[in-house]
Amino acid sequence: MKLHHVGIAVRSLEEALPVFEKLLGSTAVHQEIVADQKARIAIFQVGESRIELLEATAPDSPIGRFVAKRGTGIHHLTVPDLAGSLRELEQSGIRVVDRVPRQGAENKQIAFLHPSSTAGVLIELIEEESGQG
Ligand code: ZN
């Protein structure tokens, strides 16, 4: 499966940035506030993929609710071809919640994998669009 980026929800970018700088041996290539998602993001380039750290700027935001409910951790994986990725994953024995992409927030195409076949990690796949997010 081709991966564009992994989105990781964090409580605080101020706290997480130095940790990921050490882990990845580089600094964030991009930081921005996404006002309509009420989130601050920082992006690290890792080989051909990226890691996106997301911090809520308000508790009543998608990231704020995710962190309150599930804690910090993997929030989503973004792929260039969601339908193709779902087919490949099903063929390799991964159980999916959504067999075909459905519309998620902000008109993005999304699908969830079933935690029973992803080591208990709830993973949302999002089809990549041009630009960040
Ligand atoms: Zn993302």
Side-chain angles (χ1 to χ4, degrees), residues 75 77 79 81-84 86 96-115 122-129:
H75 181 262
L77 304 186
V79 297
D81 171 16
L82 182 52
L86 286 172
V96 301
V97 175
D98 304 296
R99 301 197 67 186
V100 292
R102 64 182 167 91
Q103 192 161 314
E106 304 180 310
N107 295 328
K108 289 183 180 177
Q109 293 295 297
I110 66 149
F112 280 92
L113 306 183
H114 200 283
L122 180 67
I123 296 178
E124 178 185 20
L125 299 178
I126 305 179
E127 181 146 293
E128 181 204 341
E129 295 172 76

Side-chain angles (χ1 to χ4, degrees), residues 30 33 42 60 102 104:
H30 180 73
I33 291 175
D60 66 331
R102 64 182 167 91

Side-chain angles (χ1 to χ4, degrees), residues 5-7 52 54 76 78 108 126 132-133:
H5 72 256
V6 181
E52 174 188 68
L54 306 112
H76 63 269
T78 303
K108 289 183 180 177
I126 305 179
Q132 314 292 358

Side-chain angles (χ1 to χ4, degrees), residues 63-72 122:
I63 298 299
R65 286 191 297 268
F66 178 89
V67 170
K69 195 173 164 193
R70 306 190 61 93
T72 55
L122 180 67

